[in-house]
Amino acid sequence: MIRQKSTQRLGPRMPSELELPSQLRREPEKDLNSAGGSPAREGTEARTESGTASVAADEDPAANLFPPPLPQPRICMWKYLDIHSMHLLEKTANTEEMKKVLAELLGLSCPEQSLREAITLDLFAHALIFCRQQGFSLEQTSAACALLQDLHKACVATPLGNVEECYRYFTSVLFCHGVRRPPFSIDLFKEEQLLAVADYVVNTYFRHFKLYKYVFTPQVRLDLSLTYLGLQTPKLWPEGHMSVLQAFVKTQLNKELGQLRQLVEEQLKASEERLSSKLASLEQPFQLPPGKAKNKTK
């Protein structure tokens, strides 16, 4: 008797939080990446070996039915614009010069020809103008632009609606820069500055959230086909039967339309008769009752 050999593999045992050393606890991002990345890859390999169909997550994001998970909130100061980039932007004298330097820093090759690059450039240019109006420091400006960049990436990661998830992610990242709790958050912004950044992002980005998603994400179409178990596949009728069916349907439609037209005409005729009777009663002169008329003559 042949026994089927199991192909399931056990992954490495993940240590608990108490077993982790203090140095690893201070790096939650590495722990999350190591804990969430390798088991997923091992699970994909196991499903591939067992013969089941598996879809890679790096393929077309529009093929997934659910939005991808958002990254963990973290401090994003100097993430995209470092101190050297901020000094270059600070030296610009006008908006055109600032957009030119910003396009080079963001890697936008031809914003004059690409609609997406032009929108991205305008988004961050107005964000820099807002930071200058608020009197933000270089660190605060870099963090605000990085926060907006991460929010934009979360928005365009999927064509499906995820405005609530993006707003929760935005507030979480924003609070990472308003509360002193190292190494998870710092007090980079004051309370009124946090409110100003939140109001600006809500009024400029979330108010046009669907427009950004329409421009930066592919269009998704759903082709749905249903198969009922236990039912025979319908057979195609011959041409002679189809002509007979079409003639029958046409005859029935003409009959129903004739009845409907007759009913409408009868209702219109009845309404016209009621209206004419009311008009005739109004046109007659008003006559007093006989008793009241005699009293007036006396």
Side-chain angles (χ1 to χ4, degrees):
M1 185 176 180
I2 301 176
R3 296 182 180 178
Q4 185 178 0
K5 187 177 180 181
S6 176
T7 59
Q8 185 178 2
R9 297 185 300 175
L10 296 177
R13 186 179 68 88
M14 299 304 299
S16 61
E17 186 178 358
L18 297 176
E19 297 175 354
L20 292 175
S22 59
Q23 184 178 2
L24 293 179
R25 292 181 189 176
R26 295 176 183 176
E27 298 178 359
E29 181 186 3
K30 295 182 180 179
D31 295 341
L32 290 172
N33 292 334
S34 60
S38 56
R41 288 192 293 268
E42 291 177 0
T44 305
E45 294 175 0
R47 289 192 297 269
T48 305
E49 291 177 357
S50 61
T52 58
S54 61
V55 180
D58 296 336
E59 294 180 358
D60 188 8
N64 297 327
L65 296 179
F66 299 98
L70 297 177
Q72 293 294 327
R74 52 167 295 183
I75 301 173
C76 54
M77 185 174 62
W78 311 124
K79 185 176 181 180
Y80 300 105
L81 299 176
D82 55 4
I83 185 65
H84 176 67
S85 302
M86 293 306 305
H87 281 303
L88 292 178
L89 291 171
E90 192 180 14
K91 293 179 182 178
T92 57
N94 50 32
T95 306
E96 297 298 330
E97 186 178 355
M98 180 184 64
K99 285 186 176 182
K100 183 178 180 180
V101 175
L102 188 60
E104 295 178 357
L105 295 175
L106 296 178
L108 305 178
S109 57
C110 52
E112 295 83 5
Q113 300 178 0
S114 175
L115 178 62
R116 294 184 177 181
E117 291 186 358
I119 294 175
T120 304
L121 184 59
D122 287 340
L123 175 65
F124 288 99
H126 286 87
L128 288 175
I129 294 174
F130 165 77
C131 293
R132 288 184 178 181
Q133 293 175 353
Q134 295 293 324
F136 286 172
S137 62
L138 299 182
E139 294 84 357
Q140 293 173 339
T141 304
S142 175
C145 293
L147 191 150
L148 189 60
Q149 176 78 349
D150 290 341
L151 174 62
H152 183 64
K153 287 183 177 181
C155 170
V156 303
T158 174
L160 303 178
N162 60 342
V163 59
E164 296 181 359
E165 292 80 0
C166 288
Y167 183 75
R168 287 195 295 266
Y169 173 71
F170 162 71
T171 54
S172 300
V173 178
L174 188 62
F175 284 133
C176 287
H177 302 80
V179 180
R180 182 174 179 82
R181 195 166 63 91
F184 306 103
S185 61
I186 57 176
D187 54 346
L188 182 63
F189 295 100
K190 298 180 181 179
E191 182 179 357
E192 58 273 10
Q193 292 175 339
L194 288 176
L195 294 175
V197 173
D199 292 340
Y200 174 78
V201 175
V202 168
N203 292 326
T204 57
Y205 195 88
F206 282 103
R207 197 173 292 273
H208 307 91
F209 189 84
K210 292 184 178 180
L211 295 178
Y212 285 109
K213 189 174 287 292
Y214 176 79
V215 173
F216 288 92
T217 57
Q219 185 179 5
V220 179
R221 293 181 179 179
L222 177 62
D223 295 331
L224 183 63
S225 61
L226 301 177
T227 303
Y228 296 95
L229 300 178
L231 297 180
Q232 298 180 358
T233 305
K235 299 180 181 180
L236 297 178
W237 287 14
E239 295 182 359
H241 291 266
M242 290 297 296
S243 60
V244 173
L245 180 61
Q246 290 177 358
F248 176 75
V249 172
K250 187 176 181 180
T251 304
Q252 293 296 324
L253 287 177
N254 292 333
K255 183 179 179 180
E256 294 292 336
L257 288 175
Q259 295 178 357
L260 182 61
R261 189 181 298 109
Q262 183 180 0
L263 180 62
V264 172
E265 290 177 356
E266 291 177 357
Q267 291 179 356
L268 289 176
K269 185 177 180 180
S271 61
E272 288 178 359
E273 291 177 354
R274 290 194 299 268
L275 182 60
S276 60
S277 62
K278 290 183 179 180
L279 291 175
S281 62
L282 292 175
E283 290 176 356
Q284 293 178 0
F286 181 73
Q287 296 180 359
L288 293 174
K292 293 183 178 180
K294 291 180 180 180
N295 293 332
K296 286 188 176 181
T297 54
K298 291 179 181 181

